Structure formats: C-alpha cells, structure tokens
Amino acid sequence: MVLARVANFFTNGEPTQELGEESRRDVATTMDKVASRAINAAEDMAEDIEDEGRPPYLHAMLAGGLGGLTGDMLMHSLDTVKTRQQGDPHMPPKYTSMGSTYHTIWRQEGFLRGLYGGVQPAFVGSFCGTVCFFGTYEYSKRWMIDNGVAPSLAYFAAGLLGDLAAAPSYVPSEVLKTRLQLQGRYNNPYFNSGYNYRSTTDAVRKIVRQEGFGALFHGYKATLWRDLPFSALQFTFYEKERDLAKSYVGSNNIGLLLEIATAASAGGAAGVITTPLDVVKTRIQTQLPELPEASKYPSKSATPTTSSSKHTSTSRVTTTHTSHNRPISTSSPSTTLKAHGAATLDTSSVYTGLKIIYKTEGIAGWFRGVGPRFVWTSVQSGTMLVLYQTLLRHFEQHPLVRTDEGL
C-alpha cells in the first residue's frame, strides 16, 4: 500500500503499466532509495534508543540504589505488619487482619519504634543490595547482548546474576531487620517476640556471640530460591515491556504513565508467578516444629535461665542457632498468619516443601496470600524502576561521569 502510494507520487497518479520501460525503471530505483533511507532511519533510531538505554555504570548503580531504597522505605510499614503476623508466637494470635495490625502497632508502639522498627538495617541493606544488583545486571546484560545472546535470555540471566551478587549484603540485613521488626521497641510491654535488642549494633553483637556468625545468613538458600527467579522474571518482563513502549513512542523517554505501567505490571506479574516459592520459604522459616528440637537439646534450654529478666527469651534465641526453628520470615509480604490446620514443613528443602503443600492444600496452598504479595511487589517495583529511570535522565543532563569513560 505504502509503496503503491509512493509510486503514484512519482508517476503523478498515472498507472505504472502505462509507463514506458525506462520510466518504470526510474520509479523502481527511486522507490528502492526511499525504502533504503527509511530502513537506515529506523536503524539509526534504534541505535539512538539503545545508546540512551546504556548509561554509565555509576549512573545505573546510583539510580538503582536510590530507587530501590525509596521503594523499600515506602513499603517498610507494610513489611512490618507482615512480619508481626507471620512471627506472632501467641495462641490465639494477637495480630490478624492487616488493618487491625496497623492500628494496634501504631497505637501501642508508635511510628518509628513500631511500624518502622528495623529501618536502619533495612536502609543499609536495601541501598547496598540494589547498587550491587544494578551494577551486575547492567554489565552482564550488555556483555551477553554484545556477544549475540538473545535479549530475552540476556535479561533473564542478568536478573539472576544481579540478585546473586546482591544476596551477600541483602540477606544479613534482612535477618536483622525482621528480628527488630518483630521485636518492636526495646523491652516491649505489648508484644513478647522472643527478641530484645537495644539497637542494630546490639543485635549484631548478640547474634554473633550467642548464635554464631552464620546466624546472620539464616534462610540464605531459601531466599535465593525465591528472589533469583523473581528478579529474573521481573526484569525480563520490564525490559520487554519497555522495548515495546519505546518502539511505540519512538523515544527512550516513554512518559510517566507508561513508566508506571511497565514497572508495576512487571513486578506484580513476577510476584504472582513466584508466590509458591515465597509461600514455601515462609513456611520453612516459620513453621518448623519446636518441641522435638527442644527435647534434643535440653542443656541449651536450661542454660539461659540465669539471665536477667529483661532477656527472658534468650533460651529461644539460643535454640534458634541450633535448630533454626524461630518463627521468623525474611520474605516480602506474601502470606498472612497461617491457618492452624496448614501442614507443618519439617524440612529445609524447597522442592519437598512444595510437594507437601500441594498434597495437603492443593494449588490454593501454593498461592496463599497472593493478593498482598501482588500489591507489595507492584508498588515496590513501580516506585523503584520509575525513580530509576527518572534519576538516569537527571544524571544524563547532569552527568557524574563522562559517557565515553564507560564507568
């Protein structure tokens, strides 16, 4: 259709069959030139968009760190509510619905000590983790694409590698964060969590002294099982959606609405798909039986009885080091407080846990709490990635480094 209109333009609307042989050759030559120029223009536009999508590594790492930090801080109170619901050791549970838990923590413990308990390690871990992630992600993605790897596969593999690089700094901060979130204020008169740390530094010192350095990496394997596929899927969806949006708009700047839509939908979709891994991770960390393990280590439970009254829960912390059965989760908001009839997972194997849940609860058990997880991952991903792109454009106008330095 387009070529026919071009032909009519150069023939003044006369049918091409009425033209002479030489005229038809001229028209064909002209049309070939027009098509070639259009192809070259499209290739130049694609190269310009690709160049715009390759900021200096320092820009990408800093923008990613600040974006991830902002998203995590924005959702920290929701994460605290989730942690209280999942880690509540009382029967019947004190914390049930999300709204009630919010109100109770706010009224009894306040904002900073209650809803934003554990924010210091979360702050450090979030920034360091996302800086490592985006640096590794951008480098590995570019290397694979430049070496002929299909873009979709490059995005997926780069997401895996990015999260793998971020985990060593992310997991210890998560352990500290969730313990302080579960504890709330020091000497908390409203909730006995089993933990009682004066500060983040005091928590690190006591955990290392009483449980060993390895306790800071509790749940490392389960965290990787959930976070690696989540990040891989999230950035595969995000990059492909942005590619479509950039092709539609014709520019790397796709506008705020499309930025929000692509970022939030990518995070939400990845969150829904990986919900079974999140559920089994949470169950492994919160539902291991305590009585059999306690009977195996009677001396451990007897030793801390001489501790002072304000550390009456030390025996439970010491037992954690031995049996890893403390009801605590370092997962993102996914499952609310478990139904008391849910199967207990006496295993550390993610695959075995998935089989047990499926046999006892069916597919519904795999997707327990998928709604809160969808909301959390959508908002967090939307905030992080929209701010990431906004900061990249800011750094492009006010560069921290020169683009040709390749940093």
Side-chain angles (χ1 to χ4, degrees):
M1 176 70 76
V2 175
L3 293 180
R5 290 179 179 177
V6 173
N8 288 336
F9 173 79
F10 286 103
T11 60
N12 295 321
E14 299 179 9
T16 55
Q17 59 269 24
E18 297 180 4
L19 296 176
E21 184 66 27
E22 182 176 353
S23 298
R24 284 199 294 270
R25 283 199 299 268
D26 292 340
V27 170
T29 301
T30 304
M31 291 171 63
D32 288 341
K33 290 181 180 180
V34 172
S36 176
R37 290 176 181 175
I39 292 174
N40 291 335
E43 290 177 350
D44 291 341
M45 179 179 293
E47 291 177 359
D48 291 341
I49 292 176
E50 176 65 18
D51 290 339
E52 289 179 2
R54 288 195 168 189
Y57 289 119
L58 179 61
H59 290 181
M61 293 168 69
L62 186 57
L66 293 174
L69 175 64
T70 303
D72 287 343
M73 293 299 99
L74 180 65
M75 303 303 293
H76 188 83
S77 60
L78 177 61
D79 191 52
T80 299
V81 168
K82 180 271 311 181
T83 301
R84 289 289 183 93
Q85 289 182 325
Q86 290 182 327
D88 190 348
H90 304 98
M91 294 294 292
K94 176 177 181 179
Y95 302 111
T96 52
S97 68
M98 183 179 297
S100 173
T101 305
Y102 258 109
H103 181 262
T104 300
I105 297 175
W106 173 280
R107 178 172 51 84
Q108 294 182 343
E109 303 173 48
F111 184 77
L112 291 178
R113 297 288 186 178
L115 290 174
Y116 268 75
V119 71
Q120 293 89 351
F123 186 97
V124 175
S126 176
F127 182 76
C128 294
T130 47
V131 164
C132 293
F133 175 88
F134 277 95
T136 305
Y137 176 80
E138 285 292 332
Y139 178 83
S140 55
K141 177 186 71 173
R142 298 177 193 183
W143 185 89
M144 285 185 280
I145 290 177
D146 291 343
N147 283 274
V149 178
S152 296
L153 181 59
Y155 301 149
F156 188 88
L160 288 174
L161 293 173
D163 213 281
L164 192 63
S169 62
Y170 175 74
V171 174
S173 70
E174 279 287 285
V175 172
L176 292 170
K177 180 201 73 172
T178 48
R179 290 194 180 195
L180 292 169
Q181 283 177 315
L182 194 63
Q183 167 191 312
R185 53 191 291 187
Y186 181 63
N187 287 334
N188 193 344
Y190 303 104
F191 183 68
N192 181 17
S193 65
Y195 300 116
N196 198 32
Y197 306 119
R198 293 179 180 272
S199 62
T200 302
T201 304
D202 183 55
V204 174
R205 183 168 55 248
K206 287 182 177 178
I207 291 172
V208 172
R209 184 176 69 247
Q210 297 173 356
E211 306 173 48
F213 182 78
L216 291 173
F217 291 87
H218 177 48
Y220 188 89
K221 184 192 296 186
T223 300
L224 291 183
W225 267 96
R226 183 205 64 194
D227 288 351
L228 290 183
F230 171 79
S231 295
L233 290 171
Q234 176 189 25
F235 278 84
T236 300
F237 295 153
Y238 177 64
E239 294 280 11
K240 295 304 294 183
E241 289 179 27
R242 288 201 87 247
D243 286 344
L244 292 174
K246 287 187 289 186
S247 298
Y248 175 76
V249 175
S251 170
N252 191 55
N253 187 356
I254 61 177
L256 181 59
L257 290 180
L258 282 177
E259 290 283 8
I260 295 174
T262 54
S265 61
V272 170
I273 293 173
T274 57
T275 295
L277 296 173
D278 190 37
V279 170
V280 75
K281 173 188 179 295
T282 300
R283 294 284 187 87
I284 287 174
Q285 291 186 314
T286 63
Q287 296 183 33
L288 289 179
E290 297 188 9
L291 292 178
E293 296 294 336
S295 63
K296 291 179 183 179
Y297 306 97
S299 61
K300 295 287 183 180
S301 60
T303 301
T305 55
T306 58
S307 301
S308 61
S309 59
K310 61 184 178 181
H311 298 290
T312 55
S313 60
T314 308
S315 61
R316 300 187 69 176
V317 177
T318 305
T319 305
T320 303
H321 172 51
T322 307
S323 60
H324 287 167
N325 60 1
R326 180 70 185 95
I328 189 171
S329 169
T330 59
S331 65
S332 62
S334 57
T335 56
T336 56
L337 190 67
K338 75 178 183 73
H340 302 312
T344 297
L345 306 185
D346 190 7
T347 179
S348 60
S349 169
V350 173
Y351 177 70
T352 302
L354 286 171
K355 289 198 300 183
I356 293 174
I357 294 175
Y358 179 75
K359 288 180 179 179
T360 56
E361 304 173 51
I363 294 294
W366 280 359
F367 288 90
R368 184 185 296 273
V370 66
R373 178 164 170 79
F374 172 77
V375 173
W376 193 92
T377 53
S378 297
V379 175
Q380 196 278 341
S381 178
T383 303
M384 176 182 72
L385 294 174
V386 169
L387 186 57
Y388 172 69
Q389 295 296 338
T390 301
L391 288 173
L392 284 182
R393 288 192 291 271
H394 173 78
F395 292 147
E396 184 180 4
Q397 298 174 357
H398 307 86
L400 302 175
V401 295
R402 292 181 307 186
T403 304
D404 56 4
E405 291 178 354
L407 296 177

